[in-house]
Amino acid sequence: MTITINHYLIVSFLLFSIGFLGVLVRRNFLTILMSIELMLNAVNLNLIAFSRRLSDLTGQVFSIFVITIAAGEAAIGLALTISFFRQKKTLDVEEAHTMQG
Amino acid sequence: MRNLLWAIPLFPLIGFLINGLVYLLSHRTKGETHGHGGGYGTDAHTAATAPDTAHDTGHDPGHHEIPFKGLHTVVGVGSVVIACVLAFGAIFDIGLKAFSEGASHSITLWRWIPLAVNQAVGQIPGSAGEWFVDVTLRIDSLSALMLAFVTFVGSLIHLYSVGYMGHEEGFGRFFAYLNLFMFAMLVLVLGGNFLLLFVGWEGVGLCSYLLIGYYYEKNYAADAGKKAFVVNRIGDFGFILGIFGVFGLFGSLDFQKVFAAAAANPAAYTPYMTVICLLLFVGACGKSAQFPLYVWLPDAMAGPTPVSALIHAATMVTAGVYMIARCNVFFRLAPNAMIVVAIVGAFTALFAATIGVAQNDIKKVLAYSTVSQLGYMFLACGVGAFAEGMFHVTTHAFFKACLFLGAGSVIHAMGGEQDIRRMGGLAGKIPRTYRTFLIATLTISGVPFLAAFFSKDAIKAAVFHAEFQAVPWLPKLLYAVALFTAGLTAFYMFRLLTLTFWGHFRGTKEQEHHVHESPATMTIPLIVLAFLSIVSGYVGVPIIEHGDRIGEFLRPIRLPIAGMPERVHHAPLSIELGLMAAAVAVASIGIYLAWSWYSKGEGRTPARLAAEWPGVYRAVAHKYFVDEAYEKVFVRGLALDGGRFLWEVDATVVDLIPNGAAAVTRGASWMAAAFDQYVVDGLVNGVAYALQSLFQLFRRAQTGRVQNYALVMGGGLFCLVAVYLLFR
């Protein structure tokens, strides 16, 4: 069986869906961060698959950018986690509802 | 040797890295230990009350061991000495004669910015149009001259700093910055294109900031650093716009290609040159402290004295002159820009010299003298005498470094005192400092057969013979200004010398007891520099056949421009001698006045003059209130008083109309009030009530839980995609 672009897209779609679902349903701050990471990497996979298919390096360059941004995002996310934990003594995001209308 | 060009800036960079790392590592564990023992706030108080007597002493009362002092000394001084040896090796490898015949050597280290620009951009025929920038180091006669005195004076001042800064906690930090400065300055000098020049230009600016603010725990030093940085930023803004212009016009930034293109096809470029030259000149004004951007240089004296000598007298501030001499092809194509350069230069020379007459801080006098001498150099460039300008740059580097280091030695001896009113009679107490200072003062005053006599004379002669087609009377006026400034220079320098070294001691008993000659690491550089300020003028002796060796050496940088014949002025000997005689006469008058007023008359005449014209004295002593004006207009004006001014306008002018109308309105408003209360308020309150109850509903949507929002967003996206897929 040859691996076509569709396979990549399906894997990428599954990864993205898992990540998105994780963001929606999980309550632990860290798990949500990891789910976001999953979504970002699904996008990376997508970009690289198309980059390969179209023989255009732009996609790969973009995925490098995404990885870079993801690193920054992880750093800020973890910093938020720590300061959140210091405030609430828990990692449950349900506790973060002070912006409620 | 010539292929080791890349190693010349490399060694100071390595020195910076080693010194910086060792200093950081050795100070990390100790926490907040600064030299001077004073933290924030303690010294700020004295600075606020007497900012002009800012002390930068080489002394720390607590004599504690400085970690890694030996290492810092060896690395800091050694790296610059190696650079100096390599520089002279490279220069003599190519040969002075070859340089004067136009030899140059360049090495391209790597391609820096490759730009794949469409080649079809509208280009002027003959332009290089290569659209890339390389890291190219290049040495020709102009950069060889700069390289020689920058590395040599740099080495001497590094050596001097070992003695001067010997008791400072921040010894390693100081040498790290100083080495970084040498690296940046060498990149500036050796850079083969505008962008590399700019890198060095910004690098020296950064180091200048760091070193002015070396005593960063003192407010005035930190503020002076910021001021230097911000004012330089204004100049750099013009400079980089000029670089953009050059790149857009020529498609290249390489000096050789750009100048060759401009010289070969002047007609195509001339229309743009005035703008580009003026922008470049704005950059030069900032870096070389020309009016109106000179204000940072006097304040920069807050840094340690070796820094003032190296950066703010000998090397960095001459970068502007170097850049203009480098771009001489452009400036010769833009006669109007040249006129601006000449006028600004002459005005700055005169302006700063008059301020220098009334200053009482030994370093401030020298700072204004530097601004004034830089004005001279720009005046030379403005009349097309680029070689003469560079000649003065070179001699100035020697005698002004000698003066500053001498001043540092005096301050060292006085234990931090900088006010010349509290000195006097130091000649017998610190004889070596006195003799070198005397030689340098005689030199800057233009005493015959010392260095500045020849270089200033060359500039004045060039100004006298200059021709401006637009304003034919201007050169004679500029000459008069230059001559008068020379007299003023002699006057204020001898005033400084008299008050510092002659007469009787006017300080306190403790100070008198403390006075001592500086160590050998400080006096040896002084002696070498004093020697050079005597002899360095003989590279440019006028009148004699082949006497103007420096002019011949620098001739290759003056590319012949197509269709513009080179004007060779060979004035008759009598005029040359007459100009010299005038210069000597004016200098003697200045020296005599200073001597008779301050030494013989013990300052009675100036005191009487100051009492007779209090307004004039106040203006000069307060530096013509330029700093106050800038403070008012730019610092406060645009931020605070601008708003206040608008408020005043509003309150007086604009309010006339409403005041008149108010009476009418009051009558009408009584009627309106009733209408308002019942009809309008009812309407408004009704609408408000309706909206409030509506939004009670909506606010439920703001749960504050991000996951809910994400869910709604995902759902919305799903719906949109679904609609798109179904109905496309």
Side-chain angles (χ1 to χ4, degrees):
Chain A
M1 185 184 86
T2 51
I3 308 282
T4 65
I5 186 98
N6 289 344
H7 296 94
Y8 285 110
L9 289 186
I10 289 162
V11 172
S12 160
F13 173 72
L14 288 175
L15 273 176
F16 190 87
S17 309
I18 293 167
F20 189 59
L21 218 62
V23 171
L24 287 190
V25 304
R26 302 306 295 253
R27 297 172 61 177
N28 186 301
F29 212 119
L30 281 175
T31 322
I32 291 174
L33 272 183
M34 287 190 273
S35 305
I36 292 173
E37 244 10 87
L38 215 54
M39 288 163 72
L40 284 169
N41 283 317
V43 174
N44 279 342
L45 186 60
N46 222 339
L47 283 170
I48 289 173
F50 274 111
S51 165
R52 172 96 180 145
R53 166 79 186 266
L54 302 173
S55 308
D56 184 349
L57 279 180
T58 317
Q60 295 194 23
V61 173
F62 256 96
S63 68
I64 302 263
F65 270 112
V66 172
I67 290 167
T68 320
I69 305 292
E73 174 260 320
I76 293 172
L78 289 173
L80 282 176
T81 314
I82 291 168
S83 75
F84 180 71
F85 185 76
R86 282 193 186 144
Q87 291 244 323
K88 306 272 181 188
K89 301 290 171 219
T90 173
L91 281 181
D92 189 351
V93 290
E94 293 288 313
E95 291 298 315
H97 55 77
T98 44
M99 296 287 277
Q100 191 175 24
Chain B
M1 273 311 251
R2 69 184 77 176
N3 287 319
L4 285 177
L5 220 50
W6 52 271
I8 299 174
L10 184 68
F11 274 99
L13 181 65
I14 294 172
F16 159 67
L17 292 175
I18 295 176
N19 275 335
L21 278 177
V22 170
Y23 178 80
L24 275 185
L25 294 178
S26 64
H27 281 73
R28 201 181 50 176
T29 45
K30 295 170 79 178
E32 293 287 307
T33 42
H34 303 307
H36 279 267
Y40 287 91
T42 51
D43 291 309
H45 180 66
T46 43
T49 49
D52 272 358
T53 52
H55 299 175
D56 82 282
T57 151
H59 280 268
D60 194 351
H63 278 259
H64 41 257
E65 207 51 33
I66 294 159
F68 300 105
K69 188 178 174 189
L71 177 78
H72 287 311
T73 308
V74 171
V75 172
V77 181
S79 60
V80 180
V81 171
I82 294 174
C84 183
V85 170
L86 285 172
F88 277 93
I91 291 168
F92 287 114
D93 183 31
I94 297 172
L96 296 182
K97 187 149 173 55
F99 272 128
S100 59
E101 282 157 5
S104 71
H105 185 70
S106 52
I107 46 173
T108 301
L109 298 180
W110 67 84
R111 176 141 304 176
W112 186 9
I113 304 176
L115 283 180
V117 181
N118 188 355
Q119 294 288 323
V121 183
Q123 259 178 46
I124 295 167
S127 71
E130 48 190 27
W131 304 109
F132 58 74
V133 183
D134 284 340
V135 173
T136 303
L137 299 181
R138 180 158 172 274
I139 186 168
D140 62 1
S141 56
L142 182 60
S143 21
L145 178 67
M146 288 289 283
L147 192 62
F149 80 75
V150 164
T151 53
F152 187 70
V153 175
S155 305
L156 287 179
I157 292 176
H158 275 71
L159 184 63
Y160 178 93
S161 309
V162 175
Y164 191 82
M165 304 297 285
H167 309 300
E168 295 276 337
E169 180 75 18
F171 192 76
R173 185 161 59 93
F174 181 78
F175 272 96
Y177 291 164
L178 221 50
N179 281 349
L180 183 63
F181 169 78
M182 286 306 290
F183 165 70
M185 190 69 207
L186 290 169
V187 168
L188 192 162
V189 170
L190 287 173
N193 55 52
F194 277 99
L195 207 57
L196 211 53
L197 173 74
F198 190 70
V199 169
W201 188 274
E202 291 297 303
V204 290
L206 167 72
C207 297
S208 167
Y209 163 75
L210 290 172
L211 285 164
I212 294 170
Y214 174 77
Y215 299 115
Y216 57 85
E217 66 268 33
K218 297 187 178 173
N219 273 352
Y220 68 85
D223 287 346
K226 272 183 276 181
K227 187 173 178 183
F229 204 74
V230 171
V231 174
N232 264 303
R233 201 76 18 247
I234 301 169
D236 295 344
F237 179 66
F239 187 28
I240 197 147
L241 285 182
I243 294 177
F244 288 158
V246 171
F247 196 60
L249 206 54
F250 294 93
S252 171
L253 288 177
D254 191 277
F255 287 142
Q256 264 174 312
K257 289 176 185 141
V258 166
F259 297 139
N265 189 8
Y269 296 108
T270 307
Y272 311 100
M273 275 308 150
T274 306
V275 176
I276 286 182
C277 286
L278 286 178
L279 287 172
L280 293 177
F281 180 58
V282 169
C285 268
K287 190 63 70 199
S288 294
Q290 293 299 292
F291 190 86
L293 298 180
Y294 71 95
V295 286
W296 65 272
L297 188 58
D299 282 25
M301 297 302 130
T305 308
V307 171
S308 313
L310 178 62
I311 302 184
H312 305 119
T315 55
M316 182 188 87
V317 288
T318 58
V321 188
Y322 166 75
M323 188 258 280
I324 287 184
R326 177 61 82 196
C327 302
N328 67 76
V329 175
F330 289 175
F331 278 88
R332 277 148 67 210
L333 288 176
N336 292 332
M338 295 269 277
I339 292 176
V340 173
V341 174
I343 290 176
V344 169
F347 179 71
T348 310
L350 178 64
F351 184 78
T354 52
I355 297 178
V357 168
Q359 294 302 307
N360 286 321
D361 182 322
I362 185 168
K363 286 178 76 182
K364 285 272 162 75
V365 177
L366 293 178
Y368 280 106
S369 152
T370 305
V371 175
S372 172
Q373 297 299 312
L374 288 166
Y376 258 104
M377 300 165 199
F378 277 97
L379 174 60
C381 291
V383 297
F386 301 100
E388 284 82 349
M390 286 308 295
F391 181 24
H392 196 52
V393 165
T394 315
T395 56
H396 177 259
F398 296 135
F399 66 72
K400 190 49 71 61
C402 185
L403 284 171
F404 262 115
L405 295 186
S409 186
V410 169
I411 295 165
H412 190 82
M414 295 287 293
E417 181 60 63
Q418 286 181 219
D419 193 328
I420 50 177
R421 285 169 301 190
R422 287 197 276 278
M423 295 180 185
L426 294 179
K429 299 193 173 78
I430 42 174
R432 259 169 280 166
T433 307
Y434 165 63
R435 272 179 226 135
T436 51
F437 202 90
L438 176 68
I439 290 170
T441 307
L442 288 171
T443 305
I444 190 179
S445 307
V447 168
F449 310 117
L450 298 178
F453 171 69
F454 294 113
S455 56
K456 271 193 193 174
D457 185 68
I459 291 176
K460 278 189 289 234
V463 174
F464 189 79
H465 295 298
E467 284 164 22
F468 287 131
Q469 274 161 357
V471 266
W473 47 267
L474 190 60
K476 297 295 178 281
L477 176 69
L478 293 177
Y479 175 75
V481 170
L483 196 62
F484 182 63
T485 307
L488 272 181
T489 308
F491 176 74
Y492 69 70
M493 284 313 296
F494 264 84
R495 169 179 176 269
L496 179 67
L497 186 79
T498 309
L499 290 178
T500 311
F501 290 103
W502 296 348
H504 54 89
F505 192 78
R506 295 181 295 275
T508 59
K509 273 271 172 286
E510 295 91 79
Q511 282 176 329
E512 190 162 14
H513 181 68
H514 179 270
V515 171
H516 61 280
E517 182 63 283
S518 305
T521 51
M522 287 166 70
T523 48
I524 289 170
L526 280 174
I527 293 166
V528 175
L529 286 170
F531 175 70
L532 281 170
S533 17
I534 300 174
V535 300
S536 60
Y538 288 94
V539 296
V541 183
I543 308 172
I544 308 167
E545 192 75 14
H546 297 300
D548 187 15
R549 258 169 274 151
I550 193 155
E552 280 163 25
F553 184 68
L554 290 175
R555 187 145 304 143
I557 62 159
R558 200 184 167 104
L559 291 180
I561 295 174
M564 191 189 275
E566 274 296 296
R567 187 172 52 79
V568 189
H569 71 81
H570 274 300
L573 193 62
S574 55
I575 291 186
E576 295 275 356
L577 286 176
L579 293 179
M580 274 187 197
V584 173
V586 167
S588 341
I589 292 171
I591 294 174
Y592 174 74
L593 278 183
W595 176 75
S596 70
W597 285 5
Y598 288 99
S599 181
K600 210 168 60 155
E602 293 183 334
R604 280 191 296 274
T605 319
R608 186 170 52 78
L609 290 178
E612 268 175 41
W613 288 298
V616 177
Y617 178 75
R618 248 170 66 81
V620 173
H622 286 88
K623 307 143 198 170
Y624 298 109
F625 299 102
V626 171
D627 274 321
E628 285 80 357
Y630 282 1
E631 167 85 12
K632 213 167 171 56
V633 177
F634 295 114
V635 182
R636 271 174 215 285
L638 295 184
L640 302 172
D641 284 356
R644 202 181 146 66
F645 172 71
L646 289 179
W647 184 83
E648 291 279 350
V649 170
D650 198 56
T652 52
V653 183
V654 182
D655 282 6
L656 277 180
I657 307 162
N659 283 345
V664 185
T665 314
R666 265 197 296 275
S669 53
W670 182 83
M671 285 191 337
F675 178 79
D676 206 49
Q677 198 173 355
Y678 298 108
V679 183
V680 179
D681 279 10
L683 214 64
V684 169
N685 288 340
V687 170
Y689 181 75
L691 284 178
Q692 199 181 11
S693 15
L694 184 63
F695 286 119
Q696 279 293 338
L697 258 169
F698 282 133
R699 80 173 239 219
R700 300 267 165 85
Q702 299 286 330
T703 58
R705 290 181 173 81
V706 181
Q707 281 172 317
N708 286 2
Y709 303 156
L711 181 64
V712 173
M713 211 173 79
L717 198 66
F718 178 77
C719 291
L720 283 178
V721 173
V723 167
Y724 174 72
L725 288 177
L726 286 175
F727 299 105
R728 66 179 158 170

